[in-house]
């Protein structure tokens, strides 16, 4: 049987509503956890074509300790992606920025 490589999964937790700067830091943290200190440069090279697929979630009601919590993808999280890609030297359409 062939060895199967496990997928990388990264998590970061924030209590309370994070600021835009904290969201950027959280995204940086999970990228570091998954890819190491080189971050996206570990898998993306200048001149690469990159597709950014966002997994949109929400709104979903979840109950925690008897309280309802809405879960949805933060617009700030979505906005961070193109900036991180641009830092790797990838050319992005102007509509992404």
């Amino acid at each position: 049987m062939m060895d199967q490589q496990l997928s990388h999964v990264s998590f970061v937790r924030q209590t309370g509503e994070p600021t835009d700067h904290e969201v950027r830091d959280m995204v940086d943290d999970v990228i570091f956890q998954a890819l190491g200190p080189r971050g996206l440069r570990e898998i993306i090279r200048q001149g690469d074509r990159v597709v950014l697929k966002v997994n949109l979630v929400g709104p979903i009601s979840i109950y925690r300790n008897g309280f309802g919590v809405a879960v949805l993808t933060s617009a700030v999280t979505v906005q961070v992606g193109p900036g991180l890609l641009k830092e790797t030297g990838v050319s992005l359409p102007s509509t992404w920025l």
Side-chain angles (χ1 to χ4, degrees), residues 33-68:
Q33 289 174 32
L35 301 174
R38 289 180 35 107
L40 291 174
R41 287 182 178 89
E42 186 65 33
I43 58 172
I44 299 172
R45 306 284 183 262
Q46 190 168 4
D48 282 355
R49 293 181 109 183
V50 176
V51 174
L52 181 62
K53 184 203 176 287
V54 178
N55 292 326
L56 297 176
V57 177
I60 299 171
S61 294
I62 296 177
Y63 289 91
R64 199 176 292 143
N65 298 326
F67 295 97

